[in-house]
Amino acid sequence: MATNSVLLPTLLDVAKRSDPDGKISAIVELLSQTNEILEDMVWVEGNLPTGHKTTVRTGLPSSTWRRLNYGVQPSKSTTAAVTDNCGMLEAYAEVDKSLVMLNNNTSEFRLSEDRAFLEAMNIEMARTIFYGDTATNPERFMGLAPRYATYSATPTLSGNNIIKAGGAGNDNTSIWLVVWGPNTVHGIYPKGSAAGFTHKDLGEQTLYDGQTPAGRFQGFRTHYKWDCGLTVRDWRYVVRIANIDYSDLTYNAATGADLVDLMTQALELPQNIKLGRPVFYMNRKVRAFLRRQMNNRGTIALPSSSLVGGEMVRTFSEVPVRVVDQILNTEATVA
């Protein structure tokens, strides 16, 4: 269903191209192992040192059926310039020198010990993709939820790609359909950087154990920095199924949201789903209800298919279904 993945580079693809010594690509590979969205998300180098300025088409030109001896009226498309900025996500990983020395002071061991810090960066990155709002947190980047925050029946507004699932209150969640591509929706990293990721070994340092008063010990410190952002170049290629009342979900859809029906509707909203890499995102608990509802209908629950780099992934109508645990079950109702 999606276009050739070779033409749609993930963060790991970009890192392998831009990092000759392989260190950054090894770290990005670890990031991908704990954040499924990185296996799908397309990345484009920004045209600015701090982000990316792009042109979004807001209207199409008109065309005319011409008669003999009559002319054609001139027309033009309408566009708008949009600038998306990158946020700077950083972490300092520290490990006891004595522990490192027991393992021959290998860089591989230190990297393995840094996994927890990299996973923490991953969690924050995934959370910001969906909920980042520069109006309240200007140091981050703008995520999807603030861009799709209000329903609209107007076909030319992004709110038209919100499907309301009937929930109310503050125990709602969302399912997202994103069609990743360089002309639809993609991640960005600063111009001239190695996939927006930097890694610096700060060597041996005197560290503190967090006690009161603080104890000191010798250890090694590593600095990780990830400059990244998100661009929605064409709002028609993101669909939000909002107002899914989690507490009302049932295995047979007798009450609460019918996830199968809602996701089927979502697949019909993008202008041309083949223009990029389509993927559904939901949290783990919601995917469990989706599988139960499909089982109840006598459908094979999310059959596996090798759609992403040969990896067997869960799918819905041939579209991968990914788990993002940072998608909340405590969302407010979308008006």
Side-chain angles (χ1 to χ4, degrees), residues 222-233:
T222 308
H223 180 222
Y224 295 100
K225 187 169 182 285
W226 191 0
D227 295 347
C228 51
L230 179 71
T231 289
V232 179
R233 191 169 184 185

Side-chain angles (χ1 to χ4, degrees), residues 12-329:
L12 182 58
D13 296 326
V14 174
K16 287 180 176 178
R17 290 201 303 255
S18 57
D19 181 41
D21 64 9
K23 174 59 72 175
I24 298 299
S25 59
I27 295 170
V28 171
E29 191 165 10
L30 283 179
L31 288 170
S32 298
Q33 291 173 7
T34 57
N35 188 355
E36 289 188 351
I37 200 170
L38 291 184
E39 299 183 30
D40 316 305
M41 193 172 178
V42 174
W43 291 82
V44 173
E45 182 178 8
N47 50 27
L48 300 173
T50 58
H52 187 64
K53 184 175 183 179
T54 188
T55 300
V56 178
R57 193 169 304 283
T58 57
L60 296 175
S62 61
S63 55
T64 304
W65 291 102
R66 192 180 73 83
R67 291 188 296 171
L68 291 174
N69 301 318
Y70 286 86
V72 176
Q73 294 296 317
S75 176
K76 67 177 182 178
S77 65
T78 57
T79 59
V82 176
T83 299
D84 286 295
N85 293 322
C86 292
M88 296 183 295
L89 185 60
E90 302 186 39
Y92 286 90
E94 298 174 348
V95 60
D96 193 305
K97 177 182 177 181
S98 296
L99 182 60
V100 174
M101 298 308 292
L102 287 173
N103 291 272
N104 297 321
N105 195 18
T106 61
S107 58
E108 290 80 6
F109 174 76
R110 288 180 60 188
L111 182 57
S112 69
E113 289 297 294
D114 290 354
R115 280 177 178 268
F117 298 91
L118 294 172
E119 186 171 354
M121 294 180 73
N122 253 337
I123 290 172
E124 186 58 38
M125 167 66 172
R127 182 184 296 120
T128 306
I129 288 174
F130 291 99
Y131 299 111
D133 189 346
T134 54
T136 55
N137 299 106
E139 72 279 4
R140 303 176 189 176
F141 60 84
M142 186 66 79
L144 294 174
R147 303 177 197 241
Y148 295 82
T150 305
Y151 172 78
S152 173
T154 305
T156 57
L157 298 177
S158 61
N160 192 240
N161 267 27
I162 297 175
I163 299 173
K164 294 187 291 184
N170 293 298
D171 61 343
N172 298 309
T173 188
S174 296
I175 294 174
W176 294 86
L177 172 63
V178 182
V179 183
W180 299 107
N183 295 310
T184 55
V185 188
H186 58 79
I188 55 175
Y189 57 93
K191 183 178 181 180
S193 67
F197 206 96
T198 58
H199 158 269
K200 188 173 183 180
D201 184 354
L202 299 179
E204 184 175 339
Q205 304 269 334
T206 299
L207 307 178
Y208 299 86
D209 60 11
Q211 302 297 314
T212 304
R216 297 167 175 80
F217 64 97
Q218 291 304 105
F220 293 97
R221 179 179 291 156
T222 308
H223 180 222
Y224 295 100
K225 187 169 182 285
W226 191 0
D227 295 347
C228 51
L230 179 71
T231 289
V232 179
R233 191 169 184 185
D234 192 331
W235 62 263
R236 297 174 299 175
Y237 290 89
V238 176
V239 181
R240 181 182 187 180
I241 305 174
N243 300 350
I244 301 172
D245 192 319
Y246 175 74
S247 61
D248 287 346
L249 287 174
T250 54
Y251 77 96
N252 58 2
T255 63
D258 185 338
L259 302 179
V260 175
D261 179 64
L262 291 166
M263 292 171 67
T264 302
Q265 294 180 54
L267 285 172
E268 298 302 321
L269 285 178
Q271 190 76 5
N272 181 5
I273 206 167
K274 296 180 181 179
L275 194 60
R277 181 184 294 143
V279 190
F280 279 109
Y281 297 101
M282 62 193 71
N283 65 39
R284 193 176 308 273
K285 294 180 179 179
V286 173
R287 193 172 78 168
F289 270 108
L290 172 62
R291 297 181 68 180
R292 293 171 68 190
Q293 289 186 5
M294 293 184 74
N295 272 333
N296 186 68
R297 295 183 182 210
T299 308
I300 299 175
L302 295 181
S304 296
S305 178
S306 54
L307 292 178
V308 183
E311 178 191 359
M312 304 299 286
V313 297
R314 300 289 182 182
T315 62
F316 179 88
S317 293
E318 301 181 13
V319 175
V321 177
R322 297 287 199 183
V323 167
V324 178
D325 286 323
Q326 284 66 50
I327 297 177
L328 303 175
N329 285 328

